[in-house]
Amino acid sequence: MPDLSPLAPASFPDMPAIRGVRLATGACGIRYENRSDLLLAELAPGTTAAGVFTRSLTASAPVLACRESLKSGGGRVLVVNSGNSNAFTGKVGKDAVARVSKSCCDLFSCAPSDVYMASTGVIGEKLPDEKIIAAMSGLRSAMTYNAWPEAARAIMTTDTYPKMATRTATISGTQVTLNGIAKGSGMIAPDMATMLAFVFTDAAIPAPTLQALLNEANATTFNCITVDGDTSTSDTLLLFATGKAENPVADYGDFGRALHALLHELALHVVKDGEGAEKLVEITVSSAASASAARSIGMSIANSPLVKTALAAGDANWGRIVMAVGKAGQAADRDKLSIKIGGVSVATHGEADPDYRESQIESHMKSRHIAIAVDVGVGSGAATVWTCDLTHRYIDINGSYRT
């Protein structure tokens, strides 16, 4: 396993039990021996579900199955494995998902549409679903309400630390709890989701409302991060609401706030644990033609290898930011373009700021958190995206991923 990210948190949250959610994990040897690689979650009857998935045209078999299950609006079982993505495996992969689903239906007396599966790992290799199925009965017997750290670890691949977050919200005077776990270190440029993320709440929320809340929160969290510009075949974000809080159907504004905060925290953990990452980079784009245009410009900057390698070296080469703005394919006024790094103006009104001295931002460029602000001078659209630097360790990790 790679060395711990220098951006890893000093401590991890205490994750409370969620009424209606039981968890168990195991080591099945899907890719590595003696390493936790399987998560099984049981959800109470009546649980509603929402989800967003990769838009990749080579989406994995589990993603395709989840899309079908989501049409029911409910969920009873979640199965997640690491070490093998079951992507680009054709009918063999589809059949493997069907066999795991049937095993879940037999164990939990539920319908196939109540089962969700997610897989992460190597693409193009047959999933050893027989190992998963063989472990299911034992995992069900071992289920508890408190295995959140173990669950977060079971879904890791090249991650250096488990990613967890928890929040509370109030719905018409009733307190509800949200817990979330995520994984992802590379192949992170989500387009409707992240690598893998799962959120559970005891709130009672109808499936259509739950989906709308998830779509809104996802748009400015997971859909605004990138590590390397590559969108995974397996991107999956699922939200389950067990209803055990028995809150009335009412205003979900505070729940939406809590959900956004939780997803934002998880999304930043994914960036901070980007493969080889040593710096978290926040890029804010303003005065764009629209919010969508601002996001596109921000992503163009965030995905530029020239920008990211300069940031890794602590080089304030803001000309590369200008380049990335220009290639984004969105409206920008060259003669109004302004750039700030660490709050210091480096370029203004289309040229270098005459008062700028590189010594002003030397310490900021060496810090763990870099802030870049770009004003493109054409409208009122704004967006913030997050990325990390690009170091040689990214090559080391990915060059030896399968070995």
Side-chain angles (χ1 to χ4, degrees), residues 20-58:
V21 180
R22 297 200 307 156
L23 308 164
T25 63
C28 299
I30 293 171
R31 184 163 188 84
Y32 303 105
E33 295 299 325
N34 303 314
R35 175 172 168 175
S36 182
D37 55 11
L38 183 63
L39 164 64
L40 179 64
E42 179 186 19
L43 310 166
T47 294
T48 55
V52 289
F53 307 96
T54 183
R55 287 181 176 172
S56 169
L57 298 181
T58 55

Side-chain angles (χ1 to χ4, degrees), residues 212-254:
L213 288 164
L214 183 62
N215 289 346
E216 182 178 1
N218 178 64
T220 53
T221 56
F222 283 124
N223 256 14
C224 287
I225 63 169
T226 179
V227 167
D228 49 21
D230 286 333
T231 299
S232 168
T233 57
S234 305
D235 291 349
T236 299
L237 167 58
L238 291 169
L239 169 59
F240 299 102
T242 68
K244 290 299 182 180
E246 300 182 347
N247 55 275
V249 176
D251 178 11
Y252 298 105
D254 192 50

Side-chain angles (χ1 to χ4, degrees), residues 289-353:
S290 65
S292 176
R295 178 186 176 276
S296 294
I297 294 169
M299 283 296 191
S300 180
I301 299 167
N303 283 324
S304 167
L306 289 175
V307 172
K308 292 162 71 71
T309 50
L311 294 173
D315 180 9
N317 190 344
W318 55 266
R320 295 182 177 183
I321 299 173
V322 174
M323 172 277 300
V325 172
K327 74 180 180 71
Q330 301 292 337
D333 189 328
R334 181 196 63 189
D335 296 329
K336 291 183 180 179
L337 183 66
S338 298
I339 300 171
K340 292 182 179 180
I341 299 177
V344 175
S345 175
V346 301
T348 183
H349 297 100
E351 60 183 345
D353 191 316

